[in-house]
Amino acid sequence: MVQYNFKKITVVPNGKDLIDIILSRTQRQTPTVVHKGYAISRLRQFYMRKVKYTQQNFHEKLSAIIDEFPRLDDIHPFYGDLLHVLYNKDHYKLALGQVNTARNLISKIAKDYVKLLKYGDSLYRCKSLKVAALGRMCTVIKRISPSLAYLEQIRQHMARLPSIDPNTRTILICGYPNVGKSSFINKITRADVDVQPYAFTTKSLFVGHTDYKYLRYQVIDTPGILDRPFEDRNIIEMCSITALAHLRAAILFFLDISGSCGYSIAQQAALFHSIKSLFMNKPLIVVCNKTDLQPLEGISEEDMKLVMEMKAEAMKTVMGQGGEPANEEAVLVTMSTLTEDGVIAVKNAACERLLDQRVEIKMKSKKINDCLNRFHVAMPKPRDQKERPPCIPQAVLEARAKEAAEKERRKTEKDLENENGGAGVYSASLKKHYILANDEWKEDIMPEILDGHNVADFIDPDILLRLEELEREEGLRQAEEEDDDFEMDGEELNAEEKEALAEIRKKKSLLIQQHRIKKSTAESRSIMPRKFDKNKEFTSERMGRQLTALGLDPSLAINRARSRSLSRKGRKRERSSDNHGDAMDVDMDTPSKKLRARSRSLSLSRSRSRSRPPSEVTPGDGFKDSAQKVKAIKIAKKSVKKRNKDARKGEADRVIPSLKPKHLFSGKRSIGKTQRR
């Protein structure tokens, strides 16, 4: 049995890509180093090898294209006519012929230039001949670029064609557009054909598979056909005509008796009579679809007469096969794909008719005689009228009865689940099948072992009672501690101590409030700027008054605060210039945070940015004084003057190594990694 698989055809490169592929392969697979000092025979052989190798690669590529594409005269007539309908076999053959001609031309070019290379007298002459040969080969390929592009489009389209076996059991569905053909194939097979309420939804052949009596059947859904002359039919309709003409299949002609497809029964009958010549010698069944909208008995007499004529034509096809139909209902069948009423009956009738026809054809063939001679069916003849029933031993009967009783008596887990509440309620026990000495042990709790010890041995059964006792005892202790809390009420203190206690409590509450205020700001309000201290609350005078009230000397604290608030800049100017003291009068009571930060950063930067003179001697330089260091610096500069004048590379110059050393990047590339050559 021939299988046509057009998906295996290799991709056809366009002209430019094909040239790049071949020339790149020639460059990589042939020697690349040649010198004019070589013997002339070696030079000729070098370039002849390149020309022959290029011609061989072109020949292989083009031969693969020609051989993989099917020849329309050698394949099944169904595929031959289908490809002619889709692609026009004249253009198809012309494209393959151009590829074949290009292959022959390239072979001739290589042959001619190899002859010329045999008489090359120099390296330049041989190289020029090689360039001319490869250039002419590439020119030939460029000329057939349109043919290669056309063949690539055909290959892509052929890869999308359905895999139809013309010789297997096939059921073919045909009829007007929108009569229910695609819905039927979706019901009886696993195919997923698009179904829409408008005509010509199916634009190509679709294939599905179904089973009947353990045999696989191929079901083909064809596009809709209109009743018009053969010359006016388009490519979509011609696909259906090709399948009807060449496939040996059971034909299902669908008839929409409700008229919802947009075509009357008279128009559908006219189509039936115009293509009935394609139904000869094939099982034909007329299928009346959409009976849910209009029953067959409810149509008019004229339409019923047309349906009966189609039925009579279908009966003629049966008679032409030399067979007698078992019943006339197998020729005219009603169904509805919407309600699935009669769908399986139509499928079974078509499969049965097709099977009978194939068996009958095989019985009429010459091969059946060879098969009949090989076997003989023996039929025993009765000796007398005595009945002899089969004798079955009693033990076998008892064993069968016992086995049947066990099957009836045994309950499965599914039965137990249904009896005990169903899924989600019943949980099957995995322990009931354990094999133990005592069945009562099956439901025992498995011991938990931790570090070689049984966890159950360390569990106190009265732990909950003891926990309650501990909680009760803890509650009593907390109550006693609350009663024993000591609170100083001031009754044991004298007048001065009471006054001090009140002052401390007041101060404590004040500190808590101030701390809360500080925490409420983003910068914790470490320093109060002067513009926010409108009421002059945070001043050195106020601090002095508070310290005096507490009996302390505030002078040291005030002086320390003023000295810390002064900036480095302010202090320096104050010391250096006494005459302008009035101009540099700064309120030291409320120092600015920015001023202090600036003065601190200024002092740090000055201390860091101070540079030493070159002559200054630091410990560890190895000089006894600055004069000796200056002399050494002069001698060092004088020693490098000549080298700098010549622009020579010194120890301080940046080294730029050779990124492509010649010993690694010259010569022919050998096997292995690039960096390991």
Side-chain angles (χ1 to χ4, degrees):
M1 183 178 295
V2 181
Q3 293 290 339
Y4 298 97
N5 189 3
F6 300 134
K7 296 179 177 61
K8 292 183 179 180
I9 301 177
T10 312
V11 177
V12 180
N14 56 35
K16 185 176 180 303
D17 292 344
L18 183 59
I19 292 172
D20 293 341
I21 291 169
I22 301 302
L23 294 184
S24 174
R25 184 180 296 176
T26 303
Q27 180 70 14
R28 286 183 288 107
Q29 300 294 335
T30 56
T32 54
V33 179
V34 66
H35 299 292
K36 59 182 180 181
Y38 288 168
I40 190 64
S41 60
R42 185 173 178 182
L43 296 176
R44 293 169 183 168
Q45 189 64 32
F46 178 85
Y47 288 109
M48 285 166 58
R49 180 176 177 182
K50 285 187 175 294
V51 173
K52 288 180 181 178
Y53 191 81
T54 306
Q55 180 268 333
Q56 181 182 356
N57 286 330
F58 274 123
H59 189 275
E60 289 176 358
K61 282 285 184 183
L62 299 179
S63 298
I65 294 172
I66 295 171
D67 294 340
E68 288 183 352
F69 275 89
R71 296 188 179 183
L72 301 184
D73 298 334
D74 297 342
I75 60 177
H76 194 277
F78 163 69
Y79 273 114
D81 282 3
L82 183 63
L83 296 180
H84 173 58
V85 167
L86 295 174
Y87 317 122
N88 191 342
K89 66 180 180 181
D90 296 332
H91 294 170
Y92 177 78
K93 289 183 176 181
L94 190 62
L96 287 178
Q98 289 180 351
V99 173
N100 187 32
T101 303
R103 181 179 64 176
N104 297 333
L105 283 175
I106 288 174
S107 300
K108 186 175 182 299
I109 290 170
K111 186 178 179 182
D112 294 343
Y113 275 89
V114 166
K115 286 182 180 179
L116 293 175
L117 278 168
K118 288 181 181 180
Y119 299 99
D121 55 357
S122 65
L123 173 64
Y124 176 76
R125 185 68 56 85
C126 293
K127 185 176 181 179
S128 300
L129 289 173
K130 185 266 294 184
V131 172
L134 267 60
R136 289 188 62 184
M137 293 180 191
C138 296
T139 304
V140 172
I141 296 299
K142 287 180 182 178
R143 288 179 180 174
I144 63 168
S145 292
S147 299
L148 295 175
Y150 173 72
L151 289 174
E152 172 60 16
Q153 292 181 356
I154 289 180
R155 184 200 66 82
Q156 294 177 2
H157 197 282
M158 289 174 67
R160 294 192 291 268
L161 288 177
S163 297
I164 299 175
D165 187 0
N167 301 314
T168 190
R169 294 167 290 274
T170 307
I171 298 174
L172 199 62
I173 308 171
C174 65
Y176 256 94
N178 204 19
V179 295
K181 302 185 296 296
S182 300
S183 302
F184 176 72
I185 191 174
N186 287 342
K187 295 292 183 184
I188 66 170
T189 68
R190 297 181 63 183
D192 187 15
V193 186
D194 189 21
V195 177
Q196 297 295 340
Y198 50 82
F200 287 108
T201 307
T202 305
K203 297 180 180 179
S204 61
L205 300 177
F206 284 89
V207 182
H209 294 85
T210 186
D211 292 332
Y212 178 73
K213 289 186 177 181
Y214 305 103
L215 293 174
R216 177 61 57 92
Y217 286 80
Q218 180 178 253
V219 185
I220 300 177
D221 178 23
T222 62
I225 308 172
L226 298 179
D227 183 24
R228 52 186 177 181
F230 186 81
E231 297 79 10
D232 297 340
R233 290 196 170 104
N234 55 27
I235 295 177
I236 298 177
E237 296 175 89
M238 288 306 298
C239 291
S240 302
I241 298 297
T242 303
L244 287 170
H246 294 290
L247 291 179
R248 191 173 58 184
I251 309 297
L252 297 181
F253 185 84
F254 271 58
L255 195 67
D256 184 4
I257 58 176
S258 66
S260 60
C261 64
Y263 305 98
S264 63
I265 295 180
Q267 291 174 308
Q268 298 178 57
L271 172 66
F272 178 86
H273 290 293
S274 66
I275 63 173
K276 65 181 180 181
S277 59
L278 302 174
F279 302 152
M280 295 305 296
N281 300 325
K282 297 175 185 175
L284 174 62
I285 299 176
V286 180
V287 181
C288 299
N289 193 17
K290 302 185 182 180
T291 54
D292 56 317
L293 300 177
Q294 175 68 53
L296 182 61
E297 296 79 10
I299 62 176
S300 62
E301 293 183 359
E302 296 179 358
D303 293 340
M304 181 62 76
K305 184 179 179 181
L306 295 174
V307 172
M308 289 299 117
E309 289 179 359
M310 287 189 282
K311 180 180 177 181
E313 291 291 340
M315 291 294 295
K316 290 180 181 178
T317 61
V318 179
M319 300 302 180
Q321 298 168 14
E324 293 293 333
N327 51 356
E328 296 184 358
E329 285 76 11
V331 177
L332 180 65
V333 190
T334 59
M335 74 165 191
S336 172
T337 54
L338 182 64
T339 61
E340 299 186 11
D341 183 20
V343 172
I344 301 301
V346 172
K347 170 195 148 183
N348 294 343
C351 294
E352 194 67 40
R353 289 280 306 279
L354 181 61
L355 194 60
D356 292 343
Q357 186 216 26
R358 291 174 69 91
V359 170
E360 184 180 353
I361 292 175
K362 288 181 180 179
M363 292 296 292
K364 290 180 179 180
S365 65
K366 296 180 180 179
K367 294 182 180 180
I368 194 64
N369 296 326
D370 299 335
C371 296
L372 289 176
N373 294 333
R374 298 178 187 176
F375 56 85
H376 171 69
V377 180
M379 300 296 295
K381 295 180 180 180
R383 292 180 297 178
D384 48 26
Q385 302 299 325
K386 184 178 180 180
E387 293 185 2
R388 293 179 176 83
C391 180
I392 302 175
Q394 187 65 26
V396 175
L397 295 174
E398 292 176 358
R400 288 182 180 177
K402 184 177 180 181
E403 186 178 354
E406 287 181 357
K407 286 184 178 180
E408 293 178 358
R409 188 172 62 251
R410 182 186 175 191
K411 284 188 177 181
T412 62
E413 286 292 338
K414 188 70 174 177
D415 299 333
L416 294 174
E417 180 183 340
N418 296 332
E419 292 176 2
N420 294 282
V425 179
Y426 172 75
S427 179
S429 175
L430 302 177
K431 300 179 180 180
K432 60 184 178 180
H433 298 299
Y434 286 178
I435 302 175
L436 302 175
N438 191 351
D439 290 341
E440 296 178 357
W441 298 347
K442 290 182 178 180
E443 300 299 330
D444 289 350
I445 299 175
M446 300 285 286
E448 298 181 22
I449 306 300
L450 180 65
D451 297 333
H453 300 286
N454 190 354
V455 177
D457 295 341
F458 298 89
I459 295 177
D460 189 357
D462 302 331
I463 189 170
L464 296 177
L465 296 176
R466 298 191 182 190
L467 180 61
E468 291 179 1
E469 292 178 2
L470 287 174
E471 291 177 350
R472 197 179 307 114
E473 184 179 351
E474 186 181 3
L476 294 174
R477 288 186 179 181
Q478 288 179 356
E480 292 176 359
E481 289 176 0
E482 290 176 359
D483 296 340
D484 294 342
D485 283 346
F486 174 73
E487 181 70 26
M488 184 179 287
D489 52 1
E491 295 179 358
E492 299 87 356
L493 305 176
N494 53 23
E496 293 181 0
E497 291 175 346
K498 287 182 180 179
E499 224 176 283
L501 179 62
E503 189 71 23
I504 290 171
R505 286 179 176 173
K506 182 179 178 183
K507 184 67 175 177
K508 183 179 178 182
S509 63
L510 194 62
L511 290 174
I512 292 173
Q513 291 177 5
Q514 290 177 355
H515 179 65
R516 287 175 180 170
I517 292 172
K518 287 180 180 180
K519 286 185 67 176
S520 63
T521 59
E523 298 181 356
S524 299
R525 302 181 65 174
S526 59
I527 294 176
M528 174 63 69
R530 182 182 298 173
K531 63 180 180 179
F532 295 119
D533 192 12
K534 303 280 177 124
N535 301 325
K536 303 290 184 178
E537 294 179 356
F538 303 98
T539 60
S540 58
E541 287 81 1
R542 179 186 172 189
M543 182 177 68
R545 287 195 301 269
Q546 289 179 348
L547 292 176
T548 305
L550 294 174
L552 300 174
D553 184 11
S555 58
L556 294 175
I558 292 173
N559 292 334
R560 182 169 178 270
R562 286 179 177 176
S563 65
R564 293 185 66 180
S565 65
L566 280 173
S567 66
R568 183 183 183 89
K569 185 176 181 182
R571 288 203 306 272
K572 184 175 180 181
R573 288 189 177 182
E574 191 175 357
R575 286 196 303 268
S576 62
S577 175
D578 294 336
N579 297 332
H580 302 284
D582 297 337
M584 294 302 296
D585 187 14
V586 180
D587 187 6
M588 300 304 171
D589 293 339
T590 57
S592 172
K593 182 180 179 181
K594 292 183 179 178
L595 191 60
R596 288 191 292 108
R598 192 183 306 161
S599 64
R600 188 180 297 113
S601 63
L602 187 61
S603 63
L604 290 173
S605 63
R606 284 185 176 180
S607 63
R608 290 173 184 168
S609 63
R610 282 184 57 198
S611 60
R612 297 190 184 93
S615 60
E616 183 178 347
V617 179
T618 57
D621 285 350
F623 303 106
K624 68 177 182 179
D625 55 6
S626 59
Q628 189 180 15
K629 186 174 182 180
V630 170
K631 187 176 180 181
I633 292 173
K634 286 183 179 180
I635 293 173
K637 288 183 178 179
K638 188 176 180 180
S639 65
V640 298
K641 184 181 292 186
K642 187 176 184 301
R643 186 184 65 193
N644 292 343
K645 194 173 181 179
D646 295 339
R648 294 180 182 176
K649 184 169 67 172
E651 58 185 7
D653 290 326
R654 186 175 56 180
V655 179
I656 302 177
S658 177
L659 298 180
K660 287 190 175 183
K662 187 162 184 174
H663 70 282
L664 288 181
F665 287 88
S666 62
K668 180 173 169 52
R669 183 179 297 185
S670 60
I671 299 174
K673 295 184 180 178
T674 307
Q675 65 269 25
R676 300 287 180 173
R677 293 199 310 258

